[in-house]
Amino acid sequence: MADERIQSLLDRIGGCDGFEVSGVTTALEPDALGLFAWRLVIELRPTRDAVKRCSRCGEPVGEIHDTSERSVRDLPIGEWDTWLVFRARGCVRAAGPTVEDASWLDRYQRMT
């Protein structure tokens, strides 16, 4: 139920094209200053129908050579510090290995 509400919220504010909510967790954790704040972690997974593209050349991703977890801070939702977590898949191209494109996130961006 919570996952559906979060997915609906993401869809309304622009969503994360090519990804859908796979899980939601909350916790009371210290922030950078050591003050406790509520944290909302939204776990994303690729949708089955989205075409994955190379972030370097824009061609469809072919062979996947590895995956890595990426955490990106999003705008707060109310009093909640919000983080998006997803697996970035690496692809092999003529120009060398790179990761798939997340259209809603710049290549080295740490915050949406």
Side-chain angles (χ1 to χ4, degrees):
M1 180 67 157
D3 294 357
E4 292 170 10
R5 287 185 285 174
I6 296 293
Q7 183 68 53
S8 175
L9 177 64
L10 288 176
D11 291 343
R12 286 187 191 138
I13 61 175
C16 300
D17 293 337
F19 292 86
E20 62 187 3
V21 175
S22 64
V24 176
T25 57
T26 59
L28 186 61
E29 296 183 3
D31 62 13
L33 301 174
L35 303 172
F36 281 86
W38 285 102
R39 178 173 288 188
L40 174 67
V41 177
I42 302 171
E43 298 166 20
L44 302 172
R45 69 174 168 241
T47 57
R48 293 175 194 238
D49 59 346
V51 176
K52 306 301 178 197
R53 299 202 172 272
C54 174
S55 63
R56 189 174 297 162
C57 66
E59 292 295 317
V61 171
E63 179 184 343
I64 303 296
H65 68 83
D66 69 352
T67 61
S68 60
E69 186 173 278
R70 187 163 179 195
S71 298
V72 181
R73 188 165 185 184
D74 201 1
L75 294 173
I77 297 176
E79 63 188 42
W80 300 79
D81 287 339
T82 307
W83 289 83
L84 304 175
V85 177
F86 64 99
R87 305 281 311 162
R89 297 182 293 186
C91 64
V92 178
R93 289 277 166 224
T98 187
V99 295
E100 69 179 304
D101 182 45
S103 62
W104 45 273
L105 188 64
D106 287 338
R107 190 172 188 180
Y108 298 108
Q109 194 170 353
R110 300 286 181 245
M111 181 177 270
T112 61

